[in-house]
Amino acid sequence: MQIWTGQSYPLGATFDGSGTNFALFSEVAERVELCLIDDGAERRVEVTEVDAFVWHVYLPAVQPGQRYGYRVHGPYEPEAGHRCDPSKLLLDPYAKAIAGMASNHQSLFSYSFEDPEQRSTEDSAEHTMHSVVVSPFFDWGNDHPPAHEYHDTVIYEAHVKGLTMRHPDIDDNIRGTYVAMGHPSIIEHLTELGVTAIELMPVHQFVQDGHLVEKGLRNYWGYNTIGFFAPHNEYSYAGDRGQQVQEFKQMVKNLHEAGIEVILDVVYNHTAEGNQMGPTLCFRGIDNTAYYRLVEDDRAYYYDTTGTGNSLLMRTPHVLQLIMDSLRYWVTDMHVDGFRFDLASTLARELHEVDRLSSFFDIIQQDPVISQVKLIAEPWDLGEGGYQVGGFPPLWSEWNGRYRDTVRDFHRSEPDMLGDFTSRLAGSSDLYQHTGRTPIASINFVTAHDGFTLRDLVSYNDRHNQANGEDGQDGESHNRSWNSGVEGPSEDEEVRALRLRRAKNLMATLLVSQGVPMILHGDEMGRTQGGNNNTYCQDNEISWMVWELETDQMEMLWFTQKMIALRTEHPIFRRRRFLQGIVRDDADSTLPDVEWIGTDGTPMTAEDWDSAQNKCLVVFLNGSAIPEPNLRGQRLVDDSALLLFNASGNAVDFTLPPADHGERWKVVLGTGDTVEVGTTFTGDETISRPSHSLLVLMRPPMDVAEDPSADERNEQPARA
């Protein structure tokens, strides 16, 4: 085999059409061996060239599909933070594909299971994962990003396997894969639903946790990353010798063709190597002190703000380079449209506290590629001061945990919620406006992968996580849920009707709120996890979506489709600037852009706001007072809307505002069985609304003959 000098950049294994360049950073290494793996046989190539701590070599004979790894020789001094161990075959941090899955074998650990004080130098090659050389070439055709404006975006959080594993129109052999995610049946469902972006739960290569496998469980969610450049190999249909890269690209291409953006849930805050008792798979054995935060006064231990055992060291330029190179690769080579950063507060920690001006944010801000895609933070971690909702820089949007909690509490009739509820409904200006941000800073959600599904939120008071093997003690105990009178499944028709109505209320609220809505996959069809609110280890029917629907589920799907369509058709529900509650000089209206109205049809009084037991509200959204122009500079004018919320346990009479707000109002969508879609009401007229209900009215009214969309909107099941 010919061995050439190679180059120190780019890092990783780069196939150029003739051969492959290998480059690995390690400041602590004293010697590095590149190991080529073929049918279990290992050939070691001494890497002798090193520039600026990057070890590099070029091998003309190496082609795509070649498995490889590294052995790094250097100090093993845990008390000083160094854990080099050449008996461990290590993954390339820049591997574009990874083959196999690590076991919980003794050879992966540098200490003895029987006596942790004793070294173990058993070779790990047969029990670990292997990096794979991939071909960078792919026919993207005329692929281009859909580039939906943020305020026009509806996000659908989904799991590659969970969404596709039980779909009846997808062949058994491709279910649960990238091929299935790009299948016409899945794309048809997404387009008919009306979402514009799919946010995939982790697809970076992750590791199956040994303690879960021993209990017969698996890491389903995937928040256990080991390869920041590699698509997870278990979601590949054709194999793990690089095919996963091609399949992922084809999935993205198919979704883009349907106008759907792809956002990745990424885990850059920690790795799968865990704490000092974890396996040596990659970073730990390459340069432990450069990659991980260590306890300052005892560097044998890891400083952990994630609850997973370790945290990446964001102060070092090589960690920052790794993350930025990874992000840029997924945008430029894999054509993804954005990222949701798990436990993003950890990324902001330069020393101890969360610093919104940390190096990570500075680099993101000036990067011409990454700064132009959608950037979403999960704005908290487990460290001190880690809850940072509203604290991220202007370029970022955030999962709005305040929105989730407030909307849940309001719709389960908690007292004294009206003021906070209206703030969330209006885009949470109290959280974001002070930093110059707009409503798109708020990613609004009621449910997400972590917690109850929407159906379970209205069906369970308590978590039911016994299947997780932790005596039901794992997961969140305070869910802000209400079971509607009976815990779990019920055949009582009144209970079932109430649950459906409440689920619709929550979905409708999400879709009429200013900001960016995010829907959890399956919520549109009433998916249940049987009350399990922490399905991180349930890679089975508990988590997988069921596509055979009962009547109530079909009605929920219909309702969600219509609510998304309503939001899409009317910019009044997706404004680019915050509502101000004032009469605007630049509007053709003498009414404010938003008005909060009581059940008597008059503006809310201080007494109304201060009443802890007030659980009803009318919201007037003035379609003639939208100040921001569209992208062509044209001033927007829309129908006006009235939103009637009754979160109480009693029927309530609502008097509509006087005629100056609108002489005639037409029912567009609602929950409850007292008013049919298409019914019109006049100003000052009274409408009786049942408990736990919502009604959306629009003006000006249109005759069915004049409105082509009205016929479709009137095709509603018996319940409004």
Side-chain angles (χ1 to χ4, degrees):
M1 178 182 291
Q2 295 186 59
I3 301 175
W4 298 357
T5 301
Q7 298 177 329
S8 61
Y9 185 87
L11 291 166
T14 306
F15 175 69
D16 60 9
S18 298
T20 303
N21 188 81
F22 295 88
L24 175 76
F25 159 77
S26 177
E27 185 173 352
V28 74
E30 298 167 356
R31 177 178 163 220
V32 172
E33 293 175 297
L34 170 65
C35 306
L36 305 179
I37 313 297
D38 291 295
D39 298 324
E42 178 181 337
R43 177 172 181 177
R44 302 186 185 183
V45 177
E46 192 81 18
V47 182
T48 59
E49 296 295 326
V50 55
D51 293 295
F53 305 117
V54 176
W55 302 72
H56 54 91
V57 65
Y58 183 91
L59 302 180
V62 171
Q63 301 290 304
Q66 174 70 59
R67 297 189 184 201
Y68 70 99
Y70 289 101
R71 296 185 186 273
V72 175
H73 300 255
Y76 184 83
E77 301 168 357
E79 67 281 359
H82 302 309
R83 295 179 179 270
C84 294
D85 186 347
S87 70
K88 310 307 175 221
L89 183 68
L90 304 175
L91 289 169
D92 180 353
Y94 278 72
K96 304 299 194 302
I98 293 174
M101 181 56 65
S103 67
N104 202 34
H105 194 266
Q106 168 68 79
S107 63
L108 298 179
F109 300 81
S110 294
Y111 62 89
S112 169
F113 285 170
E114 297 180 357
D115 183 1
E117 297 299 321
Q118 297 296 316
R119 282 288 306 275
S120 172
T121 57
E122 185 176 350
D123 196 288
S124 69
E126 295 183 7
H127 301 280
T128 192
M129 312 161 82
H130 300 153
S131 306
V132 181
V133 178
V134 304
S135 169
F137 308 114
F138 179 77
D139 182 9
W140 283 105
N142 63 351
D143 180 73
H144 61 277
H148 296 295
E149 290 290 320
Y150 241 136
H151 64 282
D152 294 331
T153 297
V154 178
I155 299 173
Y156 188 78
E157 188 195 26
H159 188 283
V160 169
K161 192 171 186 180
L163 181 65
T164 65
M165 195 62 189
R166 301 182 66 178
H167 198 292
D169 296 334
I170 298 177
D171 292 341
D172 291 349
N173 61 335
I174 64 172
R175 291 180 181 179
T177 69
Y178 304 119
V179 176
M181 184 61 76
H183 191 277
S185 297
I186 296 296
I187 291 177
E188 180 182 14
H189 175 74
L190 297 175
T191 53
E192 289 182 351
L193 186 60
V195 299
T196 66
I198 187 165
E199 181 178 301
L200 295 178
M201 291 179 65
V203 295
H204 286 175
Q205 183 67 51
F206 59 87
V207 174
Q208 290 298 335
D209 308 67
H211 72 280
L212 292 179
V213 174
E214 289 175 357
K215 294 192 295 185
L217 302 171
R218 287 170 57 80
N219 187 321
Y220 170 66
W221 286 353
Y223 293 95
N224 202 26
T225 302
I226 197 63
F228 296 114
F229 293 78
H232 187 61
N233 57 28
E234 292 180 312
Y235 300 152
S236 174
Y237 156 68
D240 61 3
R241 296 291 287 264
Q243 297 94 329
Q244 59 265 48
V245 177
Q246 302 297 311
E247 292 175 17
F248 185 93
K249 290 179 177 180
Q250 188 63 54
M251 174 196 72
V252 172
K253 184 178 179 180
N254 292 353
L255 288 165
H256 279 183
E257 188 175 0
I260 299 171
E261 294 178 300
V262 178
I263 299 171
L264 300 188
D265 191 341
V266 291
V267 188
Y268 291 111
N269 52 73
H270 74 279
T271 80
E273 291 185 300
N275 62 17
Q276 66 277 1
M277 305 304 291
T280 298
L281 304 172
C282 180
F283 309 93
R284 191 198 309 279
I286 293 171
D287 197 330
N288 191 55
T289 60
Y291 281 111
Y292 292 119
R293 297 192 73 184
L294 304 177
V295 177
E296 290 297 331
D297 55 358
D298 192 346
R299 295 172 69 78
Y301 296 93
Y302 293 81
Y303 186 85
D304 177 22
T305 60
T306 66
T308 60
N310 64 56
S311 301
L312 283 174
L313 182 58
M314 298 303 296
R315 291 201 304 267
T316 62
H318 292 286
V319 170
L320 290 171
Q321 181 185 0
L322 172 77
I323 295 175
M324 296 300 293
D325 286 349
S326 169
L327 292 170
R328 204 175 294 112
Y329 171 78
W330 286 97
V331 174
T332 59
D333 286 54
M334 307 295 265
H335 286 207
V336 305
D337 305 282
F339 305 95
R340 178 264 188 189
F341 292 79
D342 178 65
L343 299 180
S345 292
T346 294
L347 302 176
R349 292 182 184 272
E350 287 208 331
L351 295 172
H352 178 68
E353 66 284 347
V354 175
D355 180 1
R356 65 185 295 269
L357 298 178
S358 70
S359 299
F360 176 69
F361 293 128
D362 292 343
I363 295 172
I364 289 281
Q365 181 75 36
Q366 60 81 40
D367 189 277
V369 175
I370 303 169
S371 65
Q372 299 306 303
V373 301
K374 291 180 168 66
L375 301 172
I376 302 169
E378 182 186 31
W380 49 77
D381 67 13
L382 300 183
E384 183 180 348
Y387 190 79
Q388 289 289 312
V389 172
F392 277 69
L395 189 65
W396 292 70
S397 296
E398 302 174 16
W399 271 27
N400 190 343
R402 288 277 300 276
Y403 180 94
R404 171 200 59 205
D405 296 345
T406 298
V407 170
R408 287 184 179 193
D409 280 344
F410 176 77
H411 279 296
R412 68 186 181 118
S413 295
E414 288 294 292
D416 200 23
M417 292 304 303
L418 207 57
D420 206 14
F421 177 72
T422 56
S423 294
R424 304 306 140 235
L425 196 69
S428 297
S429 62
D430 57 325
L431 299 178
Y432 304 114
Q433 193 170 28
H434 70 283
T435 56
R437 290 193 278 177
T438 61
I440 64 170
S442 180
I443 303 297
N444 298 329
F445 67 104
V446 177
T447 56
H449 67 273
D450 188 0
F452 282 143
T453 65
L454 187 61
R455 178 174 172 180
D456 289 353
L457 190 67
V458 300
S459 303
Y460 293 90
N461 286 345
D462 304 308
R463 61 191 174 188
H464 296 265
N465 298 354
Q466 287 75 15
N468 294 358
E470 300 179 45
D471 297 324
Q473 299 305 303
D474 61 297
E476 177 60 61
S477 59
H478 182 45
N479 294 284
R480 292 181 162 87
S481 62
W482 173 41
N483 64 15
S484 306
V486 177
E487 187 74 358
S490 174
E491 296 301 320
D492 187 308
E493 288 300 321
E494 290 187 5
V495 171
R496 291 169 64 94
L498 176 59
R499 287 176 175 174
L500 177 61
R501 190 159 77 245
R502 292 183 56 226
K504 286 182 175 180
N505 292 342
L506 290 161
M507 183 66 76
T509 300
L510 176 65
L511 291 165
V512 298
S513 297
Q514 306 299 325
V516 181
M518 184 187 77
I519 299 169
L520 172 63
H521 86 243
D523 277 356
E524 76 277 16
M525 302 193 301
R527 180 174 72 91
T528 179
Q529 295 174 165
N532 192 320
N533 73 348
N534 189 32
T535 59
Y536 77 102
C537 59
Q538 298 298 331
D539 188 3
N540 51 45
E541 287 81 0
I542 292 176
S543 300
W544 300 342
M545 194 140 100
V546 176
W547 292 85
E548 292 77 18
L549 305 182
E550 299 177 354
T551 302
D552 284 359
Q553 292 175 293
M554 294 176 64
E555 186 171 335
M556 187 69 198
L557 175 59
W558 180 92
F559 182 84
T560 306
Q561 290 171 332
K562 297 306 175 186
M563 281 304 310
I564 294 176
L566 182 69
R567 180 183 181 88
T568 301
E569 292 167 7
H570 293 286
I572 195 71
F573 300 121
R574 45 184 175 83
R575 291 178 41 148
R576 296 171 55 241
R577 299 289 182 266
F578 284 116
L579 297 164
Q580 296 180 300
I582 62 173
V583 178
R584 302 190 59 89
D585 294 336
D586 56 354
D588 298 328
S589 175
T590 59
L591 299 171
D593 55 359
V594 62
E595 197 167 3
W596 314 104
I597 299 171
T599 57
D600 62 357
T602 64
M604 295 269 288
T605 65
E607 184 179 356
D608 293 329
W609 287 113
D610 293 340
S611 173
Q613 299 307 313
N614 188 0
K615 301 170 184 177
C616 298
L617 175 71
V618 178
V619 184
F620 169 69
L621 296 173
N622 189 352
S624 299
I626 303 177
E628 62 269 16
N630 63 18
L631 293 179
R632 296 188 179 91
Q634 300 166 328
R635 186 172 171 276
L636 292 174
V637 177
D638 190 18
D639 293 350
S640 294
L642 279 182
L643 311 176
L644 278 58
F645 294 93
N646 179 11
S648 75
N650 305 305
V652 173
D653 289 337
F654 286 80
T655 299
L656 298 187
D660 63 339
H661 288 68
E663 294 184 358
R664 295 178 63 202
W665 293 94
K666 185 174 182 179
V667 175
V668 177
L669 282 171
T671 65
D673 55 0
T674 61
V675 179
E676 293 184 359
V677 169
T679 303
T680 58
F681 293 91
T682 59
D684 291 318
E685 192 169 351
T686 298
I687 308 175
S688 180
R689 300 299 298 143
S691 65
H692 303 290
S693 66
L694 177 149
L695 196 66
V696 181
L697 304 97
M698 304 288 291
R699 71 155 174 85
M702 297 183 181
D703 296 331
V704 171
E706 299 174 344
D707 180 10
S709 64
D711 289 332
E712 183 181 0
R713 287 203 297 267
N714 284 333
E715 294 172 4
Q716 174 151 355
R719 273 197 291 269

